[in-house]
Amino acid sequence: MIKVTALQNHFLIPLDDFTQNPDCNFRGREQECVSLIKKCKSLEEFKQAHAQTLKLGIFWSSFVASNLVATCALSNWGSMDYACSIFRQIEEPGSFAFNHMIRGHVKDMNLEQALQVFDEMLECGVEPDNFTYPTLLKACANLPALKEGKQVHGHSVKLGFGDDLFVQNSLVNMYGKCGEISLSCAVFDKMVQRSVASWSALIAAHASLGMWGKCLEIFRGMSSEGCWRAEESILVNVVSACTHLGALDLGRCTHGSLLRTMSGLNVVVETSLMDMYVKCGSLNKGLFLFQRMIEKNQMSYGVMISGLAMHGQGREALKLFNEMLEQGLKPDDVAYVGVLSACSHAGLVEEGLKYFGRMKLEHEVVPTVQHYGCIVDLLGRVGKLKEAYELIKIISIEPNEVLWRTLLNACRVHQNVAIGEVAARELSLSDSGNAGDYVVLSNLYAQSHSWRDVAKTRKEMMCKGFIQTPGFSLVEMKRKVYRFVSQDVSFPKCDGIYEMIHQMEWQLKFEGYSPDTSVVLHDVDEGEKRRRLSSHSQKLAIAFALIHSSQGSPIRIVRNIRMCSDCHTYTKLISSIYDREITVRDRNQFHHFKDGTCSCRDCG
């Protein structure tokens, strides 16, 4: 702690002499006092320094007072209330004091107060500078406040800061976080000079909206312009993009860039990388990283448990959960979602119900909709639809669309129209507005050949303005991700792909393959059903991969919807005929096809 006497000893002239000769080296006193203020390590020390400036009569210097405000507002031990009290005593605060008040409020997430200070700054006739606007735009981004952000943008241009690099970077970030990605891109495109932070802001803007393909496209553009040394934030967003798109090769390159960029990877980055490998189909690499981690936390275990569950290794996931308990880590709600998912994917009904009970009684984790959803899925997978429906009716929390949608999908798998209609009715009463619900119900009717109900459901979907998102499959080749939809003829050289499909089907006949036309849920003849089956997006992606990859190399595909039974049988046989390991990540889990078998044991 700084004693008052020790504080006085920092000054060259005793206090009595200074008050008698106030003009003596006044500027030097200011500098020394500010230096002392910046050395404070607690609010108590700071208050003593503040008191000393009052005793010495130099507080009223704008230079000293503004530095008091800046130190108190931005230090980890600081207090915005105390900083405000100092600020109010300054007769004519300048831009420096106002800027630090705004920064302090943004640091403490008092975002609306930050904007109010800016209004006061303008009312006092103090002109903002290039340090003012980036902080203001950060406040607008975090609120988010698009209207106010546009006003700040206009104000910055009016005062001549429209071309300032830091202001432009902040604008890219602000528009992105406010969901106006087109404006974010417009600012970026007009920038004469760009820094790594500029690219980082643009990538983060697209990542916040889940535009993962665009993130990778921007990253490639950044590399082509010579910005090789990417920041950690850019690389973490690129890792997230690779995770969502299943782009393993690019993910590996990004991992290497992180190792070159950072002296050591922290637990958050390591967990993100582990998640990327697991969700890109490389479970072994994910496990390797997990085992090499010096520090593991609840999230690390949760990601690995969920990863094992997705890859059909339910019992291994439960073993890892028990290891987590042995390490003294208390499981949270995320870890238990992984555990219950593992039981669901592995069909471990009794174990799942047992862990659900332990969650509440032993570890005092309050069940959420996600946990109940796992139990509904667990019961639904084994055909216990009535039990799942009864559970939804008696749970203590209000059922939401997640539970009803899980039940509806289980009804489609097991062709239970009665309970499926109940689930669909509940979904129609919610505000979810999901076209997929109508598609699943329509498919359920189609399976029972209730074509009139199919037409009725489709008509209702169209009247409500819902547009069905088409199913697609993604495959990565040479660090680029290619997207295929069913019946796709838009791809360059698509004739070669359909020729490959023809060759594949010719060889499949010798393996006894017969298309399962029951999965084509349209009222068309058998010939048309066979034609539609042959050009499912997954089959097109496999044909493309076989053409453009070397013999024996693995194929990895990501789907946005669940794999149909025909594609499942088809891919099993192709893995044996062409001696390829084919990994498919659909909406529910991973399927590892090898030598004519699948890791899901045909229970996916």
Side-chain angles (χ1 to χ4, degrees):
M1 182 183 298
I2 300 176
K3 302 292 185 182
V4 174
T5 53
L7 196 66
Q8 288 178 340
N9 288 337
H10 279 77
F11 296 93
L12 301 175
I13 301 176
L15 181 59
D16 292 340
D17 292 345
F18 178 73
T19 53
Q20 292 172 10
N21 186 13
D23 294 329
C24 179
N25 199 18
F26 187 79
R27 188 62 180 170
R29 296 302 182 105
E30 285 184 327
Q31 293 283 1
E32 192 168 351
C33 187
V34 167
S35 176
L36 184 64
I37 289 167
K38 291 180 178 179
K39 292 179 181 178
C40 294
K41 296 181 180 179
S42 68
L43 186 59
E44 186 176 352
E45 289 182 1
F46 176 80
K47 287 180 178 180
Q48 292 180 27
H50 179 203
Q52 199 65 10
T53 64
L54 292 169
K55 288 180 180 179
L56 293 172
I58 57 176
F59 169 80
W60 309 111
S61 159
S62 177
F63 175 71
V64 173
S66 296
N67 275 278
L68 281 166
V69 169
T71 302
C72 190
L74 300 182
S75 298
N76 293 331
W77 45 260
S79 163
M80 275 309 295
D81 289 339
Y82 198 81
C84 286
S85 68
I86 298 172
F87 180 76
R88 296 302 169 201
Q89 296 177 49
I90 304 175
E91 291 185 4
E92 294 183 359
S95 60
F96 182 85
F98 273 109
N99 286 347
H100 282 86
M101 284 295 293
I102 294 171
R103 285 183 62 191
H105 281 306
V106 172
K107 179 179 74 74
D108 287 358
M109 295 303 289
N110 301 323
L111 306 174
E112 292 181 354
Q113 290 92 322
L115 297 180
Q116 289 172 6
V117 172
F118 178 63
D119 288 339
E120 182 182 342
M121 182 179 188
L122 298 180
E123 289 173 2
C124 293
V126 177
E127 190 170 286
D129 56 27
N130 60 326
F131 295 104
T132 309
Y133 294 108
T135 312
L136 277 175
L137 290 167
K138 184 177 181 181
C140 295
N142 290 333
L143 274 170
L146 178 61
K147 180 181 176 182
E148 290 78 0
K150 286 182 175 180
Q151 291 174 348
V152 173
H153 184 183
H155 204 276
S156 68
V157 172
K158 184 179 178 181
L159 267 67
F161 298 110
D163 294 330
D164 182 88
L165 178 62
F166 298 102
V167 173
Q168 289 176 321
N169 288 345
S170 300
L171 285 167
V172 172
N173 177 64
M174 184 274 292
Y175 282 125
K177 287 189 175 178
C178 289
E180 290 289 339
I181 197 68
S182 60
L183 294 177
S184 186
C185 292
V187 173
F188 183 84
D189 291 339
K190 291 179 181 179
M191 294 176 70
V192 177
Q193 178 187 2
R194 293 168 183 160
S195 65
V196 174
S198 312
W199 292 96
S200 177
L202 189 65
I203 291 174
H206 285 84
S208 67
L209 297 176
M211 301 173 70
W212 305 113
K214 191 66 177 177
C215 286
L216 298 188
E217 183 181 325
I218 296 167
F219 183 63
R220 282 191 287 268
M222 173 185 172
S223 300
S224 67
E225 288 200 10
C227 297
W228 291 105
R229 187 169 179 80
E231 293 179 338
E232 177 187 343
S233 60
I234 293 179
L235 296 172
V236 169
N237 277 321
V238 172
V239 167
S240 295
C242 295
T243 302
H244 286 84
L245 296 174
L248 180 61
D249 289 343
L250 184 56
R252 285 195 186 110
C253 293
T254 309
H255 184 184
S257 297
L258 278 165
L259 292 173
R260 290 190 296 272
T261 303
M262 302 173 62
S263 57
L265 303 182
N266 58 43
V267 66
V268 175
V269 175
E270 285 184 313
T271 301
S272 297
L273 286 166
M274 185 177 69
D275 189 42
M276 181 273 293
Y277 280 111
V278 168
K279 289 182 178 175
C280 286
S282 185
L283 179 63
N284 290 337
K285 181 64 175 179
L287 279 168
F288 176 77
L289 285 181
F290 178 77
Q291 291 162 357
R292 290 281 302 270
M293 289 176 70
I294 298 174
E295 177 189 356
K296 299 185 180 85
N297 59 15
Q298 293 169 316
M299 184 59 69
S300 309
Y301 273 98
V303 165
M304 201 65 246
I305 291 168
S306 297
L308 287 165
M310 289 178 66
H311 285 268
Q313 300 192 24
R315 294 198 179 277
E316 288 77 5
L318 299 184
K319 288 179 183 177
L320 191 61
F321 177 73
N322 291 327
E323 177 189 311
M324 175 184 176
L325 299 180
E326 291 172 2
Q327 295 295 323
L329 291 171
K330 184 178 180 180
D332 57 7
D333 57 333
V334 176
Y336 262 111
V337 167
V339 168
L340 297 177
S341 295
C343 294
S344 178
H345 287 300
L348 305 173
V349 179
E350 292 184 7
E351 289 87 341
L353 296 174
K354 181 187 74 173
Y355 279 107
F356 186 66
R358 286 183 66 185
M359 178 182 77
K360 296 184 291 184
L361 299 176
E362 186 176 335
H363 296 120
E364 298 178 344
V365 175
V366 179
T368 65
V369 169
Q370 285 76 19
H371 299 112
Y372 282 114
C374 290
I375 298 298
V376 170
D377 184 56
L378 173 65
L379 296 171
R381 278 176 179 262
V382 295
K384 295 188 176 184
L385 301 175
K386 186 177 180 181
E387 290 88 339
Y389 176 45
E390 292 299 325
L391 173 66
I392 293 176
K393 291 197 296 184
I394 65 170
I395 59 175
S396 56
I397 60 178
E398 183 70 24
N400 71 353
E401 62 268 17
V402 173
L403 297 181
W404 292 116
R405 191 168 293 128
T406 303
L407 181 61
L408 177 60
N409 278 289
C411 290
R412 184 195 62 79
V413 173
H414 296 284
Q415 300 181 29
N416 189 315
V417 175
I419 297 179
E421 287 179 328
V422 174
R425 186 167 59 250
E426 292 292 338
L427 283 166
S428 69
L429 296 174
S430 70
D431 297 325
S432 62
N434 193 325
D437 301 332
Y438 288 89
V439 174
V440 174
L441 180 61
S442 173
N443 291 345
L444 178 57
Y445 284 134
Q447 286 173 326
S448 61
H449 302 287
S450 302
W451 301 114
R452 183 174 296 179
D453 289 323
V454 170
K456 179 182 176 183
T457 305
R458 294 275 179 175
K459 183 178 179 180
E460 184 179 351
M461 173 181 161
M462 292 176 63
C463 289
K464 291 189 175 182
F466 294 146
I467 300 175
Q468 179 184 355
T469 302
F472 61 79
S473 296
L474 305 174
V475 62
E476 183 188 20
M477 284 289 136
K478 298 177 181 178
R479 299 182 191 173
K480 287 187 68 176
V481 178
Y482 297 88
R483 183 177 184 270
F484 295 91
V485 296
S486 295
Q487 332 298 325
D488 200 343
V489 293
S490 63
F491 195 84
K493 301 180 181 179
C494 65
D495 290 344
I497 295 174
Y498 280 99
E499 184 180 336
M500 187 67 194
I501 289 282
H502 180 72
Q503 293 181 24
M504 291 159 65
E505 290 186 345
W506 184 76
Q507 296 197 57
L508 283 166
K509 289 180 181 179
F510 294 99
E511 299 295 326
Y513 167 74
S514 178
D516 181 8
T517 56
S518 67
V519 302
V520 181
L521 303 174
H522 296 276
D523 191 12
V524 294
D525 60 37
E526 284 296 307
E528 178 62 16
K529 286 183 178 180
R530 286 173 176 268
R531 190 191 70 78
R532 294 191 181 197
L533 268 181
S534 68
S535 54
H536 274 192
S537 65
Q538 181 170 317
K539 296 174 183 178
L540 297 176
I542 291 173
F544 175 80
L546 289 172
I547 295 171
H548 294 280
S549 61
S550 58
Q551 177 66 35
S553 61
I555 297 172
R556 298 180 180 86
I557 295 170
V558 176
R559 294 174 55 99
N560 68 325
I561 59 175
R562 188 169 183 167
M563 190 189 319
C564 74
S565 58
D566 182 73
C567 283
H568 193 272
T569 302
Y570 188 102
T571 308
K572 279 200 305 181
L573 294 172
I574 290 296
S575 71
S576 175
I577 294 170
Y578 289 90
D579 192 23
R580 296 289 192 105
E581 290 185 30
I582 304 175
T583 301
V584 180
R585 184 181 103 197
D586 68 10
R587 190 178 60 189
N588 292 331
Q589 65 185 90
F590 274 93
H591 299 264
H592 295 276
F593 298 95
K594 184 179 180 181
D595 299 327
T597 63
C598 179
S599 60
C600 75
R601 297 179 294 277
D602 300 338
C603 296

